[in-house]
Amino acid sequence: MKRNFINQKELSDKFWNIECSGNVQKISFGKTGTKGRETVKEYADEKECNLESEKLIHQKIKKGYTEIQENDAIPQKIELSDNEKADIYFWEAIEKSNKYKKAHWSEYDIEEHIENLTDYLSKFGKDRMILFEKSLQEKLSELYTAEIAELSIILEGDFKKENGVYVFDDYLSDDGFIYFRCWLILKGKEFFEDIKADIQSFVSGKYSFNIGECWAEGLLYVADDAYAQNHDDEESIIKDTVYELYPENDYDGMDRSMNREPKGGADLQTMYPKLVEEIGVLRSS
């Protein structure tokens, strides 16, 4: 049995091949285009060798590897743009620093996540921190929409229930809305894309959050704090550099405009019945 795999997902460009002969398992792996490395392992018998090999194959497929036929040429990896690479670096940092992404919301701590994220970024150079800050500002701008504002109102705004209908105060603090969007971003790429497409995905059952703590202001300072861990007497150098290089990314500027005016009052229950009903019950309990 011999099977060959490659992983050209996102920044990866790797091969992984496995061959079994009797009770001997041989694996070769490495960067595409190189000889790579090889490991050989013996098992008690052929059955165990095949069983353990199938487990490894399953793990590789789960990690993004795809199988190619032995005589097929490895396809040339399509080079990613700088923006695509920055996006991958950004979400990788957010997700690798979150130790509780699979846990119940009660185990998640915003401050711990932000501290871990700061430590993670501090291991890289200034250029990576600038890319992180640039991506953060772009994503904050992407979430500057009426729909996300309405999600904030439903989760945080004052409300009352009249004749079975939830009626929301549509007041939205400028600073609070920034901190709210930071909180959404910390939930990771999959959630970010889902929530942009439909804010009712918040109650799809895929995610578990503490709606009593919906601000993550500390995310705004992560890149500068990470840089400061290895440099003295530098304040806001990363954020200032991004403002100079990419002034169009200003998520807090006066020229911002939403796609439409956010709704409030009883309109939100009509627009988002499942979301309002589920969150209304939680907030009323």
Side-chain angles (χ1 to χ4, degrees):
M1 184 270 283
K2 184 175 183 180
R3 297 175 68 179
N4 305 307
F5 297 83
I6 58 170
N7 184 350
Q8 295 183 326
K9 183 180 178 183
E10 297 183 337
L11 298 175
S12 297
D13 191 11
K14 301 178 287 188
F15 71 89
W16 185 84
N17 303 329
I18 187 167
E19 182 176 0
C20 294
S21 178
N23 68 330
V24 178
Q25 176 196 80
K26 183 188 295 183
I27 294 175
S28 57
F29 61 95
K31 183 175 175 58
T32 299
T34 69
K35 183 180 179 181
R37 295 170 55 195
E38 185 176 277
T39 64
V40 178
K41 185 173 182 179
E42 290 189 23
Y43 290 90
D45 53 41
E46 182 175 352
K47 181 179 179 182
E48 183 183 9
C49 181
N50 290 333
L51 182 63
E52 293 302 318
S53 297
E54 288 296 335
K55 287 181 183 178
L56 290 175
I57 289 170
H58 179 72
Q59 290 171 7
K60 290 298 178 183
I61 292 173
K62 203 171 180 181
K63 289 181 179 179
Y65 282 78
T66 56
E67 187 166 9
I68 60 172
Q69 298 305 309
E70 185 174 357
N71 295 324
D72 288 350
I74 295 178
Q76 183 71 31
K77 180 176 171 62
I78 298 172
E79 187 64 27
L80 298 176
S81 69
D82 290 342
N83 283 339
E84 288 172 324
K85 290 178 182 177
D87 190 69
I88 291 168
Y89 289 142
F90 179 83
W91 289 120
E92 184 179 77
I94 292 289
E95 292 174 9
K96 283 190 174 182
S97 58
N98 181 8
K99 296 181 179 179
Y100 303 102
K101 52 182 172 287
K102 300 292 186 182
H104 186 264
W105 65 261
S106 60
E107 298 179 39
Y108 175 78
D109 183 88
I110 292 172
E111 297 305 321
E112 181 182 0
H113 189 176
I114 290 173
E115 287 176 11
N116 292 340
L117 178 56
T118 304
D119 290 341
Y120 178 87
L121 284 178
S122 71
K123 297 176 174 62
F124 297 96
K126 182 179 178 181
D127 288 347
R128 180 74 74 89
M129 297 176 197
I130 289 171
L131 284 179
F132 180 89
E133 179 66 26
K134 172 181 177 286
S135 297
L136 172 61
Q137 294 190 15
E138 289 172 347
K139 285 162 180 43
L140 286 169
S141 296
E142 284 183 60
L143 293 179
Y144 191 71
T145 67
E147 291 79 10
I148 299 299
E150 287 157 356
L151 177 62
S152 175
I153 291 167
I154 292 167
L155 295 183
E156 303 181 284
D158 292 334
F159 71 94
K160 56 187 176 180
K161 193 171 185 181
E162 297 178 347
N163 300 318
V165 177
Y166 291 95
V167 181
F168 291 88
D169 182 341
D170 62 1
Y171 171 75
L172 200 65
S173 155
D174 285 344
D175 286 345
F177 188 43
I178 294 173
Y179 307 155
F180 177 75
R181 284 177 281 157
C182 287
W183 180 73
L184 296 179
I185 289 168
L186 279 179
K187 306 310 168 192
K189 182 178 182 178
E190 183 180 7
F191 173 76
F192 178 81
E193 297 298 340
D194 282 351
I195 211 69
K196 279 200 309 175
D198 180 6
I199 65 170
Q200 291 203 101
S201 61
F202 194 91
V203 290
S204 64
K206 289 171 64 177
Y207 307 103
S208 172
F209 304 139
N210 177 8
I211 63 169
E213 192 175 7
C214 299
W215 286 8
E217 179 184 359
L219 182 59
L220 299 175
Y221 317 113
V222 159
D224 279 312
D225 288 347
Y227 185 81
Q229 287 194 15
N230 300 308
H231 300 83
D232 295 329
D233 303 323
E234 298 285 1
E235 292 186 8
S236 303
I237 188 169
I238 302 300
K239 194 179 292 291
D240 291 345
T241 301
V242 170
Y243 280 146
E244 290 173 10
L245 293 174
Y246 311 101
E248 70 279 6
N249 286 351
D250 187 3
Y251 60 88
D252 197 22
M254 298 298 293
D255 297 330
R256 296 166 300 155
S257 60
M258 289 187 183
N259 49 321
R260 60 171 174 80
E261 283 294 316
K263 302 286 188 181
D267 290 337
L268 295 179
Q269 185 158 351
T270 302
M271 296 167 68
Y272 313 110
K274 178 177 173 61
L275 175 63
V276 169
E277 186 60 38
E278 291 198 24
I279 297 301
V281 169
L282 282 175
R283 294 190 61 195
S284 300
S285 59

